[in-house]
Amino acid sequence: MPTMPERIPSDDDNDALIGRLDADMVTLTFIDNAGITRVKTVPMRRLAQAARHGVGVSPCFETFSFDDLMTTGKYLGGPDGDLRLVPDLSMLTELACQPGWAWAPTNKYTQDGTPFAACQRGFATRQAEAARAAGLRFSMTFETEWSVGQDGTQDFTPAAHGPAYSLVRLGQVADYARELVAILDRQGILVDQFHPEYSPGQLELSVQPSDPVGAADDAVLVRHTIRQVSLQYGWRAALGPCLEPGGTGSGAHLHFSAQDDQGPIFATGDGPYGMRRTGEAFLAGVLRELPALVAVGAGNPASFLRLVPSRWAGVWQCWGRETRESALRFITGVQGTEEWAANAEVKCFDATGNPYLIVGSVIAAGLAGVAEELRLPAEITGDPVAFDAEQLMFSGVRRLPTTPAEAADRLSDSAVLAEAMGPELHDALLTVRRAEADRYRDTSPEELVALTRWRF
């Protein structure tokens, strides 16, 4: 077969990258449209060839659901064809959490060496490039929430107890947290903050921001490291959106900021809280597309067990400064730090969403807002669940989709995301979300939790 495009490093470059690692095997990852991280692996001696010619993988994964059942879309699905996974060796990392192994994310190509139209990482790359063409440079990062449970059971028994956010609970995971942060540091990911969270056994960490594709890559590596370190302590890490029906679940909030040639777009302007016109228009574009973005970043049937009002899950299509019930939260930073600290957070996402699709879709939504010079509506304060009908009507606040089928319909309706993704990727994602919605339409919350608890 022909060699891949010239963006692939030369053999000499590959040898230099590979030679610095002490590993015998390499795991090559891609994330499907259901949010499952899939892998192919090669011995280290085969990595240079894999980077040059790719590793074969079936395109059937484009329409796999989270339960590993395959469906077929308009363009993709079924047993035919083959793709090539080409590792990005600029991200090649020795896995301190899995000795003897290294990791690299991959891009998908066709067998003739052209980029695969439905590659999720390729989509994120294209949107980041579109942002740069518009003069915007983004920094992004995902918060990671998870719960540690005892290993050896499919049920969930918390491995740490005590009040939410408490020193009591921290004391029980102190060695685990210290080792986790140190291992992430050795893998090139710097942790900004770690703390016990609200739910039983729940923890959270945030890491330093990166470019959009790098932020998605970091999310993959952070989650894998959490799972591996948890196993070393006799625990299992649950990153899914819900552990117990009726309980508070785990999210994967996206934070982002941007700059252009004049500086940060969320500060130094005369718009709301110092936003410049470009920053306001970008956020207005994201706000408009939030119903469709739910299908991208939280479209799994179990996600809607978490997306409940009054739990800070971000179930309302509105925005506000430090308003944790709104799906779009604006953060200015403390006085004097606004120029570097101001950022926005999308709260409705969770770990069932493909992070490459999330970053790409948020950028696409925001760029459409910039192109159309949109403006934000008035912000909200408080909890919209307490608003009466008149307040809801005049504020324009709407509840985000409450079922996977409704979220899929909003994604289908989104001309912005359909154009940005292209027909193959947009249809494949819709195919997966609709298949999951139909298959689990009558499934009880208890069954949904059992099916998804350890899948992500």
Side-chain angles (χ1 to χ4, degrees), residues 42 67 110 153 201 409 428 455:
V42 296
D67 52 16
T110 64
T153 176
D409 286 345
R455 298 292 287 179

Side-chain angles (χ1 to χ4, degrees), residues 6 22 52 59 75 158 178 218 251 271 378 392 394 431:
E6 293 192 4
D22 181 18
R52 196 75 181 149
Y75 304 98
R178 177 177 50 81
D218 286 350
L392 287 172
F394 282 108
T431 296

Side-chain angles (χ1 to χ4, degrees), residues 70-406:
M70 189 193 314
T71 187
T72 303
K74 183 177 180 181
Y75 304 98
L76 297 168
D80 301 326
D82 198 41
L83 298 173
R84 309 302 293 181
L85 298 176
V86 178
D88 182 348
L89 294 192
S90 71
M91 295 300 297
L92 182 63
T93 302
E94 186 175 335
L95 291 177
C97 68
Q98 190 173 312
W101 286 78
W103 163 83
T106 66
N107 292 303
K108 298 171 187 171
Y109 290 82
T110 64
Q111 286 184 298
D112 65 5
T114 59
F116 178 51
C119 176
Q120 296 85 356
R121 194 169 186 264
F123 166 65
T125 300
R126 291 195 305 274
Q127 295 310 305
E129 290 172 349
R132 285 193 292 273
L136 296 175
R137 300 177 302 280
F138 278 87
S139 293
M140 293 184 163
T141 186
F142 287 89
E143 292 181 9
T144 302
E145 295 178 341
W146 75 103
S147 295
V148 286
Q150 298 294 344
D151 196 7
T153 176
Q154 288 298 106
D155 296 327
F156 180 77
T157 302
H161 302 272
Y165 309 98
S166 71
L167 187 60
V168 171
R169 191 185 301 179
L170 177 62
Q172 298 169 38
V173 299
D175 289 340
Y176 167 83
R178 177 177 50 81
E179 185 170 355
L180 174 61
V181 171
I183 286 175
L184 286 169
D185 183 78
R186 286 164 58 190
Q187 295 173 170
I189 296 178
L190 301 181
V191 174
D192 278 342
Q193 183 174 278
F194 172 97
H195 63 269
E197 252 285 354
Y198 185 83
S199 297
Q202 191 179 41
L203 309 169
E204 179 182 318
L205 62 77
S206 53
V207 303
Q208 289 190 355
S210 182
D211 64 274
V213 178
D217 289 337
D218 286 350
V220 177
L221 189 51
V222 165
R223 294 170 192 177
H224 180 63
T225 303
I226 287 169
R227 287 188 289 265
Q228 291 303 106
V229 175
S230 299
L231 288 173
Q232 295 168 17
Y233 278 76
W235 301 339
R236 294 180 78 177
L239 290 107
C242 186
L243 286 176
E244 298 175 332
T248 302
S250 290
H253 307 166
L254 176 70
H255 287 258
F256 59 93
S257 61
Q259 291 194 345
D260 62 13
D261 291 340
Q262 300 176 49
I265 66 172
F266 294 146
T268 73
D270 58 3
Y273 297 111
M275 297 178 204
R276 290 173 41 218
R277 286 296 181 94
T278 299
E280 181 183 356
F282 189 93
L283 293 186
V286 174
L287 180 65
R288 181 179 64 182
E289 298 300 324
L290 277 172
L293 289 170
V294 170
V296 178
N300 185 284
S303 297
F304 298 87
L305 301 177
R306 169 184 168 267
L307 292 174
V308 176
S310 305
R311 293 185 184 171
W312 297 6
V315 303
W316 300 97
Q317 188 180 7
C318 55
W319 80 279
R321 182 194 182 201
E322 301 292 9
T323 306
R324 288 173 173 82
E325 278 298 318
S326 63
L328 182 60
R329 172 183 171 228
F330 187 67
I331 302 146
T332 58
V334 299
Q335 188 173 4
T337 70
E338 294 90 345
E339 286 197 36
W340 59 264
N343 71 95
E345 175 189 31
V346 182
K347 295 181 63 64
C348 53
F349 300 145
D350 62 49
T352 68
N354 182 315
Y356 301 105
L357 293 182
I358 289 173
V359 299
S361 296
V362 167
I363 292 173
L367 290 181
V370 173
E372 297 176 44
E373 299 183 343
L374 299 183
R375 293 292 173 259
L376 286 168
E379 68 170 321
I380 67 108
T381 58
D383 187 347
V385 79
F387 291 6
D388 59 29
E390 185 177 9
Q391 285 178 291
L392 287 172
M393 181 179 68
F394 282 108
S395 67
V397 174
R398 299 290 183 269
R399 178 75 186 274
L400 291 175
T402 59
T403 68
E406 182 188 356

